[in-house]
């Protein structure tokens, strides 16, 4: 059984956001502190609405968007 995943880019404007992301139930792939964004993987079964709800509670969270470069047939 294969778990379906989606890649998201999270924009932020605080120093504590990467620390909070690392404690969440997501796979944190990359953090750019200079450009203030993070790349994460999340299971689609959990849902984007639940993820957005959890992210809105983090002080310094700016926005979330789907990665345009993610292709589930290629990426594992």
């Amino acid at each position: 059984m294969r778990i379906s995943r989606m890649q998201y880019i999270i924009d932020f404007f605080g120093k504590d956001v990467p620390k909070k992301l690392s404690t969440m139930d997501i796979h944190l792939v990359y953090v750019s502190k200079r450009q203030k964004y993070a790349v994460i993987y999340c299971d689609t079964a959990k849902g984007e609405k639940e993820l957005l709800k959890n992210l809105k509670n983090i002080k310094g969270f700016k926005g979330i968007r789907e990665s345009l470069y993610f292709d589930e047939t290629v990426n594992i």
Side-chain angles (χ1 to χ4, degrees):
M1 186 174 141
R2 187 166 178 214
I3 298 174
S4 178
R5 292 188 179 204
M6 189 63 201
Q7 183 179 18
Y8 296 101
I9 299 173
I10 298 176
D11 298 312
F12 60 90
F13 58 86
K15 295 179 182 179
D16 296 333
V17 175
K19 292 177 188 175
K20 299 279 185 179
L21 289 175
S22 65
T23 62
M24 292 178 64
D25 188 25
I26 56 175
H27 183 69
L28 183 61
V29 179
Y30 179 76
V31 175
S32 174
K33 292 181 182 178
R34 184 175 180 195
Q35 295 179 350
K36 299 188 190 292
Y37 75 92
V39 178
I40 65 164
Y41 284 106
C42 182
D43 296 337
T44 55
K46 294 179 185 175
E48 186 177 349
K49 290 183 181 181
E50 183 69 28
L51 175 65
L52 185 60
K53 179 183 163 188
N54 291 336
L55 289 173
K56 283 187 177 181
N57 293 331
I58 298 176
K59 186 177 180 179
F61 168 72
K62 194 174 185 181
I64 185 170
R65 55 198 153 110
E66 290 184 12
S67 174
L68 299 176
Y69 297 109
F70 182 72
D71 183 10
E72 191 173 342
T73 60
V74 176
N75 298 30
I76 298 174

